[in-house]
Amino acid sequence: MMTSPDFPILSVITFLPLLGVLAICLIDGKRHSLIRWVAFLVAVATFIISLPLYFRFDASTWQMQFVEQHPWITQFGVSYHMGIDGISMLLVVLTTFLSALAILSTWSAVSESVKGYMASLLLLETGMLGVFCALDFVLFYVFWEVMLIPMYFIIGIWGGPRRIYAAVKFFIYTMSGSVLMLVAILVLYFLNYKATGVMTFDILTYYKLGLPANVQFWLFLAFFLAFAIKVPMFPFHTWLPDAHVEAPTAGSVILAGVLLKMGTYGFLRFSLPIFPEATVQFIPMILCLSVIGIIYGALVSLAQEDVKKLVAYSSVSHLGYCMLGMFALNAEGLKGSIIQMINHGLSTGALFMIVGMLYERRHTRLISEYGGILKVMPILGGLFLLVCFSSMGVPGLNGFVGELLILIGAFKASLGYGLLATIGLILGAIYLLWMYKRVMYGEITKEENRSLKDMTGREFAYLLPIIVFIVWIGVSPKPFLDKMDASVTNLLQVVNHQSTQADSRNRIGVDMKLAEVNNEQFAADQRR
Amino acid sequence: MEQVLSTISLRAICPEIIVAAFGLGILLMQSAKSRWMKDYFGYVSLIGVLAAIVMVVKGPASFDMKAVEYSFNNMWVVDNYARFFKVIFLLGTGLTILISMKYLSDESMMHGEYFALVLFATLGMMVMASGAELITIFLGIELMSLSLYALAGFTRTRLASNEAALKYFLLGSFATGFLLYGIALIYGSTGTTDINAISKFIHTASLQQSPMIIIGMGLLVVGFGFKTAAAPFHMWTPDVYEGAPAPITAFMSAGPKAAAFAAFARVFLEALPTLQTEWTAVIWVMAALTMSIGNIIALVQTNIKRMLAYSSIAHAGYVLVAFLAAGELGVSSIMYYMLAYTFMNLGAFAIITVMAGKGEERVHIDDYKGLGYKYPFAGVAMSLFLFSLAGIPPTGGFMGKFYIFQAAINEGYIGLAIIGVLNSVVSVYYYLRVTVAMYFQSPSSTTQGSDAPALVFSPALLLAIVVAAYGVLSLGLFPAKYVALVKQSSLLLQ
């Protein structure tokens, strides 16, 4: 059944977790282990069902695959339109993969209101998958916002001491970015209606819409704000450390692993193809902010005394690479950027899991409270080192692949930014290794640390799959990169084609006047 | 005289007759002095409301008829616009009655007058929606307002309730004066109170620039601004909403507001469309002010009724944005939004009513600490209503806002749309405060702790919450059929 082309696989994986939520709601809240198992099995089932997305994905085309389309609000031209291409496919699989592991990772960490917790995690999974699969603006926006609610509760209920502040900040920060995007979406909608006479929110039709440059500028800015907050890019990153530090382990894993990728994904899906001219216009600013983010994030990480905060700030730095590669606007940079999204999800997810393991044992995250514990927990120490290597981009592991491609792309685009980004790479090695040294090496200074237990079977079970992929992508990245080849090439074509076309139009200078005439015509039509 | 008689059409006012008859019937039951009847006032009035809904939707003058039907010498109009609003009012009334019954018996205030007044207020609203002439609309407004004044002070032993009634009455009658003066000026310059005739006369006599008409229009804006609680005429709202009995606050925030908007839109879009350039600027400022004032002042409230009072001001602001957009999209988005707002606000107030308890002692946000754990159902439902009020998908509140801003952007009010969406970010903060209390804070002993009195959810109340939740979710998830309905209903108002 699942191999049939009509099987609505994207809907099934998106809404299976929601079914899990309903099932959990029916279970008695006191039966904790049953709830955990149901949640975990639902997440695993979702992951297994999502695997055909990878194996049956046709890498030779940039067209959307596994497409489903049904009318939703026909009067507005809103449809339930799902589909994935080479850009989103890996992100979807990453989401199902990390969600299952994240549920496993908080098996013992959360013991209060397990029911609500597991329901929130599954609801979150539905929201995230929806964001990556949606091909309709309204559908996308609905999922984009829906996902805020469970994350808000995860941070607010099961978080650390400043959880309320962090949860509210997370919610309001994200929402203030996205409401302006909503306005921009509506403006786009009417501009498209004006140009084509068709009322539609279908994202793909907007790829062909050549907008005047100054309109593109403002709309790009509105989308930029929404996505830059989510990524987060340098001046908009302040919600991230708070949210990360206060969130429980699974929350942090999902937040870093998947949620941040929604921002970068948004740029790829919307900003680049719909506003190609503005994209070109904004390149200098975004490259600059990305490099600032890379170096600033690394420097701040260097100064952290709290392991979790350090990992959180390292995300700012790593996402800076993603943005840098993307706005280098060449094939290497884009591919590097996408694979780096996956890599960051894996390695930072693993880092947060390890921090969670340490926290569960000692109930502190201060680096100074540890030291020398490699002796008592050699397995955890060894894997921790491997994950740090992955995060700093040591050859042979996944991080290297992404960072190398991004740097190649960056150097092609701009020598200066390429050089600066390389500095970030060195800083990355410094803060991670220094942290590792202070936590793991040396003499044991605290008595409590002598009796720490090494990893349990369950902890091993959820870390190992990530390690496997870290090595796999590192050793043989080609199959993964090939999947996105066609889509990336097409994306570049769309961007280049549209921006050159617009150039010639601008030279004639009729562009804006035409738009104005259209404007009046449209208003007149409406009045009638 | 002949002509008047010939246009009397009982079937056009059939739902109104039902509501009036049930109101009077309850008054009779009250005077019968048999104690056992007391418990049935609510159910009887509920039957009346349901019968009226059936009559509006399926009766002789039902939705299927696309035609506009004028009767009573053009004083009365039955079109889909009026029908749709009547359904909103009746739904609001029905939910209010469900919420009220437990509350009244707790307060030992189970009197028939309460339900009769609620039904008369509803009747007033229905007249407002169907009035095709200024005096008819004015009569509807008065019937609604007088009933509401009395209802605001219904729990007469509570000082706050008395204060609310008096303030509402004094300010309300002052505003009514403005309205009436506006009507008089418009009548003075056009010689008619018939909405269509006014429009025609202004057009043919080119009265667009006549100062008398413009002043009259300005006075109407003041009057309707007061009834819809739009800034700067919103001052009465917080005190009245805070002091009135909780179910009446719920009632006032939904139906009467919708009725005021229904009449406001009909008068301005049908009678004064030629003056649109004159009122656009005024309404623009009012909309921006109303949204901002409502949301910003709501941020600092600690009393949940007062907070929702400011929130209801803010919501009036969003509706004004749609009002400004006018046209098919604008009018239909007003209708959609008011329907969603009725469900979400009454749902929230249902829970507030239960929480408030006897004597309305627990109306502070702090009292909600830990509610989500002790009463998971109430917590989830309240969160749903609050997220809907905040405009977070997948709720009716989101779709409503989406619809409104779509209409605004369509007409080129991008600046106002940006002000609107930024306001909804502000509003998120205070709605979230309640969820913070319900879920993130542990209860203190006086609120949801062990020695707090248990909350009792009567079946009627549960029904109200379930109906409201269903409305909020179905408007959010499957909006297509509602959009089709409001689009079709708004066509005639252009």
Side-chain angles (χ1 to χ4, degrees), chain A residues 72-73 75 138 141 145-146 152 156-157 163 175 179 186 189-190 522 526, chain B residues 373 392-393 398 402 406 409-410 425 428-429 432 435-436 440 477 479-480 484:
Chain A
W72 184 23
I73 316 176
Q75 294 89 348
V138 178
Y141 190 82
E145 294 270 280
V146 157
Y152 165 73
I157 299 181
R163 60 188 202 283
M175 191 165 167
V179 291
L186 288 170
Y189 170 70
F190 284 106
F522 177 71
Q526 282 297 310
Chain B
Y373 298 105
I392 312 279
F398 165 73
F402 176 77
Q406 189 186 338
I409 288 169
N410 180 25
V425 176
V428 165
Y429 182 78
L432 283 189
T435 60
V436 164
F440 302 175
L477 288 171

mmCIF file of all heavy atoms in Angstrom, chain A residues 72-73 75 138 141 145-146 152 156-157 163 175 179 186 189-190 522 526, chain B residues 373 392-393 398 402 406 409-410 425 428-429 432 435-436 440 477 479-480 484:
data_model
loop_
_atom_site.group_PDB
_atom_site.id
_atom_site.type_symbol
_atom_site.label_atom_id
_atom_site.label_comp_id
_atom_site.label_asym_id
_atom_site.label_seq_id
_atom_site.Cartn_x
_atom_site.Cartn_y
_atom_site.Cartn_z
ATOM 1 N N TRP A 72 -9.128 23.755 0.023
ATOM 2 C CA TRP A 72 -9.351 23.984 1.455
ATOM 3 C C TRP A 72 -10.283 25.183 1.633
ATOM 4 O O TRP A 72 -11.419 25.022 2.052
ATOM 5 C CB TRP A 72 -8.007 24.176 2.174
ATOM 6 C CG TRP A 72 -8.128 24.315 3.656
ATOM 7 C CD1 TRP A 72 -9.151 23.862 4.425
ATOM 8 C CD2 TRP A 72 -7.209 24.943 4.538
ATOM 9 N NE1 TRP A 72 -8.917 24.164 5.748
ATOM 10 C CE2 TRP A 72 -7.737 24.828 5.844
ATOM 11 C CE3 TRP A 72 -5.979 25.599 4.373
ATOM 12 C CZ2 TRP A 72 -7.084 25.337 6.955
ATOM 13 C CZ3 TRP A 72 -5.332 26.098 5.489
ATOM 14 C CH2 TRP A 72 -5.875 25.972 6.758
ATOM 15 N N ILE A 73 -9.798 26.366 1.301
ATOM 16 C CA ILE A 73 -10.714 27.515 1.325
ATOM 17 C C ILE A 73 -10.751 28.023 -0.103
ATOM 18 O O ILE A 73 -9.978 28.892 -0.496
ATOM 19 C CB ILE A 73 -10.215 28.624 2.269
ATOM 20 C CG1 ILE A 73 -9.712 28.027 3.585
ATOM 21 C CG2 ILE A 73 -11.338 29.624 2.555
ATOM 22 C CD1 ILE A 73 -9.115 29.052 4.510
ATOM 23 N N GLN A 75 -12.651 29.884 -1.767
ATOM 24 C CA GLN A 75 -12.983 31.288 -2.040
ATOM 25 C C GLN A 75 -11.746 32.166 -2.049
ATOM 26 O O GLN A 75 -11.704 33.181 -2.728
ATOM 27 C CB GLN A 75 -13.966 31.812 -0.985
ATOM 28 C CG GLN A 75 -15.323 31.158 -1.024
ATOM 29 C CD GLN A 75 -15.381 29.923 -0.149
ATOM 30 O OE1 GLN A 75 -14.356 29.432 0.317
ATOM 31 N NE2 GLN A 75 -16.569 29.414 0.066
ATOM 32 N N VAL A 138 -0.878 29.795 3.148
ATOM 33 C CA VAL A 138 -1.703 29.808 4.352
ATOM 34 C C VAL A 138 -1.449 28.551 5.170
ATOM 35 O O VAL A 138 -1.293 28.606 6.393
ATOM 36 C CB VAL A 138 -3.194 29.938 3.985
ATOM 37 C CG1 VAL A 138 -4.040 29.907 5.228
ATOM 38 C CG2 VAL A 138 -3.418 31.229 3.229
ATOM 39 N N TYR A 141 1.765 28.971 6.877
ATOM 40 C CA TYR A 141 1.693 29.890 8.003
ATOM 41 C C TYR A 141 0.991 29.243 9.198
ATOM 42 O O TYR A 141 1.393 29.438 10.346
ATOM 43 C CB TYR A 141 0.966 31.175 7.586
ATOM 44 C CG TYR A 141 1.072 32.260 8.622
ATOM 45 C CD1 TYR A 141 2.196 33.052 8.682
ATOM 46 C CD2 TYR A 141 0.070 32.461 9.554
ATOM 47 C CE1 TYR A 141 2.323 34.032 9.642
ATOM 48 C CE2 TYR A 141 0.183 33.437 10.517
ATOM 49 C CZ TYR A 141 1.312 34.226 10.549
ATOM 50 O OH TYR A 141 1.429 35.194 11.513
ATOM 51 N N GLU A 145 2.853 28.734 12.842
ATOM 52 C CA GLU A 145 2.415 29.308 14.104
ATOM 53 C C GLU A 145 1.980 28.226 15.091
ATOM 54 O O GLU A 145 2.212 28.355 16.289
ATOM 55 C CB GLU A 145 1.238 30.253 13.870
ATOM 56 C CG GLU A 145 1.581 31.476 13.082
ATOM 57 C CD GLU A 145 2.016 32.621 13.974
ATOM 58 O OE1 GLU A 145 1.168 33.284 14.545
ATOM 59 O OE2 GLU A 145 3.233 32.836 14.093
ATOM 60 N N VAL A 146 1.345 27.187 14.575
ATOM 61 C CA VAL A 146 0.852 26.128 15.453
ATOM 62 C C VAL A 146 1.994 25.565 16.286
ATOM 63 O O VAL A 146 1.851 25.267 17.463
ATOM 64 C CB VAL A 146 0.225 24.999 14.616
ATOM 65 C CG1 VAL A 146 0.218 23.696 15.379
ATOM 66 C CG2 VAL A 146 -1.188 25.367 14.244
ATOM 67 N N TYR A 152 6.076 26.451 23.360
ATOM 68 C CA TYR A 152 5.859 27.380 24.469
ATOM 69 C C TYR A 152 5.583 26.613 25.765
ATOM 70 O O TYR A 152 6.158 26.891 26.813
ATOM 71 C CB TYR A 152 4.690 28.289 24.097
ATOM 72 C CG TYR A 152 4.057 29.082 25.203
ATOM 73 C CD1 TYR A 152 4.697 30.175 25.751
ATOM 74 C CD2 TYR A 152 2.796 28.739 25.686
ATOM 75 C CE1 TYR A 152 4.110 30.919 26.755
ATOM 76 C CE2 TYR A 152 2.195 29.484 26.683
ATOM 77 C CZ TYR A 152 2.854 30.570 27.218
ATOM 78 O OH TYR A 152 2.265 31.298 28.212
ATOM 79 N N GLY A 156 7.850 26.318 29.036
ATOM 80 C CA GLY A 156 7.237 26.945 30.200
ATOM 81 C C GLY A 156 6.908 25.987 31.333
ATOM 82 O O GLY A 156 6.968 26.359 32.500
ATOM 83 N N ILE A 157 6.538 24.769 31.002
ATOM 84 C CA ILE A 157 6.143 23.846 32.070
ATOM 85 C C ILE A 157 7.315 23.016 32.558
ATOM 86 O O ILE A 157 7.519 22.847 33.756
ATOM 87 C CB ILE A 157 5.004 22.918 31.596
ATOM 88 C CG1 ILE A 157 3.776 23.744 31.219
ATOM 89 C CG2 ILE A 157 4.640 21.922 32.691
ATOM 90 C CD1 ILE A 157 2.598 22.933 30.757
ATOM 91 N N ARG A 163 12.033 29.700 33.331
ATOM 92 C CA ARG A 163 11.308 29.157 32.189
ATOM 93 C C ARG A 163 10.185 30.057 31.694
ATOM 94 O O ARG A 163 9.946 30.150 30.495
ATOM 95 C CB ARG A 163 10.758 27.783 32.531
ATOM 96 C CG ARG A 163 9.788 27.788 33.705
ATOM 97 C CD ARG A 163 9.436 26.377 34.113
ATOM 98 N NE ARG A 163 8.188 26.348 34.835
ATOM 99 C CZ ARG A 163 8.038 26.710 36.095
ATOM 100 N NH1 ARG A 163 9.089 27.114 36.771
ATOM 101 N NH2 ARG A 163 6.878 26.674 36.688
ATOM 102 N N MET A 175 6.652 35.396 17.151
ATOM 103 C CA MET A 175 5.411 35.833 16.536
ATOM 104 C C MET A 175 5.553 37.217 15.918
ATOM 105 O O MET A 175 4.990 37.486 14.861
ATOM 106 C CB MET A 175 4.294 35.842 17.563
ATOM 107 C CG MET A 175 2.977 36.032 16.869
ATOM 108 S SD MET A 175 1.586 35.652 17.849
ATOM 109 C CE MET A 175 0.316 36.385 16.833
ATOM 110 N N VAL A 179 4.187 37.818 12.064
ATOM 111 C CA VAL A 179 2.985 38.551 11.645
ATOM 112 C C VAL A 179 3.287 39.480 10.475
ATOM 113 O O VAL A 179 2.440 39.670 9.595
ATOM 114 C CB VAL A 179 2.321 39.352 12.786
ATOM 115 C CG1 VAL A 179 1.703 38.428 13.791
ATOM 116 C CG2 VAL A 179 3.269 40.317 13.428
ATOM 117 N N LEU A 186 0.012 38.468 2.274
ATOM 118 C CA LEU A 186 -1.236 39.002 1.727
ATOM 119 C C LEU A 186 -0.963 40.009 0.614
ATOM 120 O O LEU A 186 -1.669 40.044 -0.391
ATOM 121 C CB LEU A 186 -2.062 39.635 2.853
ATOM 122 C CG LEU A 186 -2.687 38.623 3.807
ATOM 123 C CD1 LEU A 186 -3.271 39.299 5.021
ATOM 124 C CD2 LEU A 186 -3.772 37.836 3.087
ATOM 125 N N TYR A 189 -0.122 38.142 -2.416
ATOM 126 C CA TYR A 189 -1.335 37.517 -2.933
ATOM 127 C C TYR A 189 -2.081 38.469 -3.845
ATOM 128 O O TYR A 189 -2.508 38.108 -4.948
ATOM 129 C CB TYR A 189 -2.167 37.096 -1.727
ATOM 130 C CG TYR A 189 -3.580 36.638 -1.958
ATOM 131 C CD1 TYR A 189 -3.844 35.436 -2.595
ATOM 132 C CD2 TYR A 189 -4.640 37.389 -1.482
ATOM 133 C CE1 TYR A 189 -5.146 35.005 -2.757
ATOM 134 C CE2 TYR A 189 -5.945 36.958 -1.636
ATOM 135 C CZ TYR A 189 -6.197 35.770 -2.280
ATOM 136 O OH TYR A 189 -7.478 35.341 -2.438
ATOM 137 N N PHE A 190 -2.202 39.720 -3.417
ATOM 138 C CA PHE A 190 -2.941 40.666 -4.237
ATOM 139 C C PHE A 190 -2.138 41.142 -5.442
ATOM 140 O O PHE A 190 -2.701 41.395 -6.502
ATOM 141 C CB PHE A 190 -3.444 41.837 -3.394
ATOM 142 C CG PHE A 190 -4.613 41.432 -2.568
ATOM 143 C CD1 PHE A 190 -4.504 41.239 -1.214
ATOM 144 C CD2 PHE A 190 -5.833 41.178 -3.169
ATOM 145 C CE1 PHE A 190 -5.582 40.820 -0.467
ATOM 146 C CE2 PHE A 190 -6.915 40.757 -2.439
ATOM 147 C CZ PHE A 190 -6.787 40.578 -1.081
ATOM 148 N N PHE A 522 -6.682 47.395 -10.974
ATOM 149 C CA PHE A 522 -7.096 46.421 -9.967
ATOM 150 C C PHE A 522 -8.082 47.031 -8.983
ATOM 151 O O PHE A 522 -9.119 46.468 -8.675
ATOM 152 C CB PHE A 522 -5.851 45.936 -9.237
ATOM 153 C CG PHE A 522 -6.138 44.977 -8.134
ATOM 154 C CD1 PHE A 522 -6.565 43.691 -8.400
ATOM 155 C CD2 PHE A 522 -5.972 45.372 -6.817
ATOM 156 C CE1 PHE A 522 -6.830 42.814 -7.383
ATOM 157 C CE2 PHE A 522 -6.232 44.488 -5.798
ATOM 158 C CZ PHE A 522 -6.657 43.222 -6.080
ATOM 159 N N GLN A 526 -11.938 46.019 -8.298
ATOM 160 C CA GLN A 526 -12.452 45.649 -6.987
ATOM 161 C C GLN A 526 -13.706 46.424 -6.651
ATOM 162 O O GLN A 526 -14.661 45.896 -6.117
ATOM 163 C CB GLN A 526 -11.387 45.923 -5.922
ATOM 164 C CG GLN A 526 -10.320 44.870 -5.875
ATOM 165 C CD GLN A 526 -10.902 43.528 -5.482
ATOM 166 O OE1 GLN A 526 -11.616 43.433 -4.501
ATOM 167 N NE2 GLN A 526 -10.614 42.487 -6.241
ATOM 168 N N TYR B 373 -3.840 22.084 35.923
ATOM 169 C CA TYR B 373 -3.577 20.744 36.453
ATOM 170 C C TYR B 373 -4.771 20.197 37.204
ATOM 171 O O TYR B 373 -5.076 19.023 37.149
ATOM 172 C CB TYR B 373 -2.357 20.778 37.374
ATOM 173 C CG TYR B 373 -1.129 21.184 36.622
ATOM 174 C CD1 TYR B 373 -0.594 22.442 36.765
ATOM 175 C CD2 TYR B 373 -0.542 20.294 35.720
ATOM 176 C CE1 TYR B 373 0.520 22.821 36.032
ATOM 177 C CE2 TYR B 373 0.556 20.660 34.991
ATOM 178 C CZ TYR B 373 1.091 21.926 35.149
ATOM 179 O OH TYR B 373 2.174 22.289 34.412
ATOM 180 N N ILE B 392 -3.978 32.908 17.026
ATOM 181 C CA ILE B 392 -3.009 31.872 16.681
ATOM 182 C C ILE B 392 -3.766 30.746 15.971
ATOM 183 O O ILE B 392 -4.806 30.314 16.453
ATOM 184 C CB ILE B 392 -2.367 31.279 17.955
ATOM 185 C CG1 ILE B 392 -1.907 32.380 18.890
ATOM 186 C CG2 ILE B 392 -1.251 30.320 17.607
ATOM 187 C CD1 ILE B 392 -0.618 32.986 18.555
ATOM 188 N N PRO B 393 -3.282 30.275 14.820
ATOM 189 C CA PRO B 393 -3.961 29.156 14.176
ATOM 190 C C PRO B 393 -3.830 27.897 15.026
ATOM 191 O O PRO B 393 -2.945 27.852 15.873
ATOM 192 C CB PRO B 393 -3.216 29.010 12.859
ATOM 193 C CG PRO B 393 -1.911 29.692 13.045
ATOM 194 C CD PRO B 393 -2.102 30.730 14.103
ATOM 195 N N PHE B 398 -7.810 33.199 14.351
ATOM 196 C CA PHE B 398 -6.780 33.421 13.337
ATOM 197 C C PHE B 398 -7.410 33.659 11.972
ATOM 198 O O PHE B 398 -7.075 34.605 11.271
ATOM 199 C CB PHE B 398 -5.813 32.237 13.269
ATOM 200 C CG PHE B 398 -4.969 32.266 12.020
ATOM 201 C CD1 PHE B 398 -3.955 33.180 11.888
ATOM 202 C CD2 PHE B 398 -5.226 31.406 10.973
ATOM 203 C CE1 PHE B 398 -3.191 33.244 10.739
ATOM 204 C CE2 PHE B 398 -4.481 31.461 9.808
ATOM 205 C CZ PHE B 398 -3.460 32.380 9.696
ATOM 206 N N PHE B 402 -7.092 36.889 9.665
ATOM 207 C CA PHE B 402 -6.554 36.685 8.318
ATOM 208 C C PHE B 402 -7.492 37.304 7.285
ATOM 209 O O PHE B 402 -7.070 38.014 6.382
ATOM 210 C CB PHE B 402 -6.394 35.184 8.098
ATOM 211 C CG PHE B 402 -5.940 34.800 6.720
ATOM 212 C CD1 PHE B 402 -4.624 34.953 6.353
ATOM 213 C CD2 PHE B 402 -6.841 34.282 5.805
ATOM 214 C CE1 PHE B 402 -4.203 34.611 5.091
ATOM 215 C CE2 PHE B 402 -6.428 33.931 4.541
ATOM 216 C CZ PHE B 402 -5.112 34.100 4.176
ATOM 217 N N GLN B 406 -6.728 40.597 5.088
ATOM 218 C CA GLN B 406 -6.805 40.384 3.651
ATOM 219 C C GLN B 406 -7.662 41.494 3.024
ATOM 220 O O GLN B 406 -7.279 42.096 2.022
ATOM 221 C CB GLN B 406 -7.424 39.016 3.405
ATOM 222 C CG GLN B 406 -7.372 38.560 1.976
ATOM 223 C CD GLN B 406 -8.137 37.270 1.803
ATOM 224 O OE1 GLN B 406 -8.362 36.528 2.752
ATOM 225 N NE2 GLN B 406 -8.539 36.987 0.594
ATOM 226 N N ILE B 409 -5.754 44.859 3.150
ATOM 227 C CA ILE B 409 -4.659 44.984 2.185
ATOM 228 C C ILE B 409 -5.210 45.091 0.776
ATOM 229 O O ILE B 409 -4.692 45.827 -0.056
ATOM 230 C CB ILE B 409 -3.689 43.807 2.347
ATOM 231 C CG1 ILE B 409 -2.915 44.012 3.639
ATOM 232 C CG2 ILE B 409 -2.741 43.691 1.173
ATOM 233 C CD1 ILE B 409 -2.121 42.839 4.084
ATOM 234 N N ASN B 410 -6.301 44.393 0.550
ATOM 235 C CA ASN B 410 -6.953 44.477 -0.760
ATOM 236 C C ASN B 410 -7.324 45.914 -1.103
ATOM 237 O O ASN B 410 -7.234 46.344 -2.237
ATOM 238 C CB ASN B 410 -8.202 43.589 -0.726
ATOM 239 C CG ASN B 410 -8.937 43.608 -2.039
ATOM 240 O OD1 ASN B 410 -8.340 43.870 -3.066
ATOM 241 N ND2 ASN B 410 -10.220 43.345 -1.994
ATOM 242 N N VAL B 425 0.453 41.028 18.194
ATOM 243 C CA VAL B 425 1.609 40.525 18.944
ATOM 244 C C VAL B 425 1.556 41.021 20.387
ATOM 245 O O VAL B 425 1.814 40.271 21.329
ATOM 246 C CB VAL B 425 2.927 40.980 18.292
ATOM 247 C CG1 VAL B 425 4.108 40.529 19.124
ATOM 248 C CG2 VAL B 425 3.039 40.436 16.901
ATOM 249 N N VAL B 428 -0.829 39.059 22.411
ATOM 250 C CA VAL B 428 -0.383 37.724 22.809
ATOM 251 C C VAL B 428 0.134 37.734 24.238
ATOM 252 O O VAL B 428 -0.105 36.821 25.009
ATOM 253 C CB VAL B 428 0.712 37.234 21.841
ATOM 254 C CG1 VAL B 428 1.445 36.052 22.418
ATOM 255 C CG2 VAL B 428 0.108 36.859 20.518
ATOM 256 N N TYR B 429 0.805 38.825 24.599
ATOM 257 C CA TYR B 429 1.424 38.848 25.915
ATOM 258 C C TYR B 429 0.394 38.699 27.031
ATOM 259 O O TYR B 429 0.556 37.906 27.942
ATOM 260 C CB TYR B 429 2.225 40.132 26.112
ATOM 261 C CG TYR B 429 2.908 40.174 27.445
ATOM 262 C CD1 TYR B 429 4.072 39.449 27.672
ATOM 263 C CD2 TYR B 429 2.385 40.892 28.515
ATOM 264 C CE1 TYR B 429 4.681 39.444 28.903
ATOM 265 C CE2 TYR B 429 2.986 40.894 29.748
ATOM 266 C CZ TYR B 429 4.139 40.169 29.937
ATOM 267 O OH TYR B 429 4.744 40.146 31.167
ATOM 268 N N LEU B 432 -1.286 35.301 27.018
ATOM 269 C CA LEU B 432 -0.362 34.287 27.528
ATOM 270 C C LEU B 432 -0.264 34.335 29.047
ATOM 271 O O LEU B 432 -0.035 33.315 29.684
ATOM 272 C CB LEU B 432 1.039 34.488 26.935
ATOM 273 C CG LEU B 432 1.280 34.036 25.500
ATOM 274 C CD1 LEU B 432 2.753 34.106 25.177
ATOM 275 C CD2 LEU B 432 0.783 32.622 25.278
ATOM 276 N N THR B 435 -2.397 31.789 30.502
ATOM 277 C CA THR B 435 -1.892 30.410 30.370
ATOM 278 C C THR B 435 -0.671 30.212 31.254
ATOM 279 O O THR B 435 -0.459 29.125 31.780
ATOM 280 C CB THR B 435 -1.533 30.071 28.915
ATOM 281 O OG1 THR B 435 -0.521 30.959 28.470
ATOM 282 C CG2 THR B 435 -2.722 30.169 28.008
ATOM 283 N N VAL B 436 0.119 31.267 31.415
ATOM 284 C CA VAL B 436 1.260 31.160 32.323
ATOM 285 C C VAL B 436 0.753 30.802 33.716
ATOM 286 O O VAL B 436 1.257 29.891 34.366
ATOM 287 C CB VAL B 436 2.055 32.486 32.361
ATOM 288 C CG1 VAL B 436 2.978 32.530 33.567
ATOM 289 C CG2 VAL B 436 2.855 32.659 31.085
ATOM 290 N N PHE B 440 2.063 27.362 34.289
ATOM 291 C CA PHE B 440 3.474 27.484 34.666
ATOM 292 C C PHE B 440 3.662 27.836 36.129
ATOM 293 O O PHE B 440 4.766 27.827 36.623
ATOM 294 C CB PHE B 440 4.183 28.554 33.811
ATOM 295 C CG PHE B 440 4.144 28.307 32.334
ATOM 296 C CD1 PHE B 440 4.647 29.241 31.449
ATOM 297 C CD2 PHE B 440 3.624 27.135 31.820
ATOM 298 C CE1 PHE B 440 4.606 29.020 30.083
ATOM 299 C CE2 PHE B 440 3.576 26.907 30.453
ATOM 300 C CZ PHE B 440 4.066 27.859 29.589
ATOM 301 N N LEU B 477 -10.485 25.493 11.249
ATOM 302 C CA LEU B 477 -9.963 24.392 10.436
ATOM 303 C C LEU B 477 -10.712 24.245 9.114
ATOM 304 O O LEU B 477 -10.121 23.906 8.099
ATOM 305 C CB LEU B 477 -10.054 23.082 11.218
ATOM 306 C CG LEU B 477 -9.057 22.957 12.364
ATOM 307 C CD1 LEU B 477 -9.365 21.724 13.213
ATOM 308 C CD2 LEU B 477 -7.640 22.856 11.830
ATOM 309 N N PRO B 479 -12.882 26.584 7.256
ATOM 310 C CA PRO B 479 -13.572 27.866 7.096
ATOM 311 C C PRO B 479 -14.382 27.963 5.809
ATOM 312 O O PRO B 479 -15.195 28.874 5.683
ATOM 313 C CB PRO B 479 -12.439 28.891 7.074
ATOM 314 C CG PRO B 479 -11.166 28.120 7.066
ATOM 315 C CD PRO B 479 -11.457 26.674 6.952
ATOM 316 N N ALA B 480 -14.160 27.035 4.867
ATOM 317 C CA ALA B 480 -14.712 27.235 3.520
ATOM 318 C C ALA B 480 -16.212 27.474 3.537
ATOM 319 O O ALA B 480 -16.707 28.417 2.917
ATOM 320 C CB ALA B 480 -14.364 26.048 2.640
ATOM 321 N N ALA B 484 -18.132 30.898 2.440
ATOM 322 C CA ALA B 484 -19.123 30.924 1.366
ATOM 323 C C ALA B 484 -20.378 31.635 1.852
ATOM 324 O O ALA B 484 -20.957 32.475 1.143
ATOM 325 C CB ALA B 484 -19.449 29.499 0.935
#
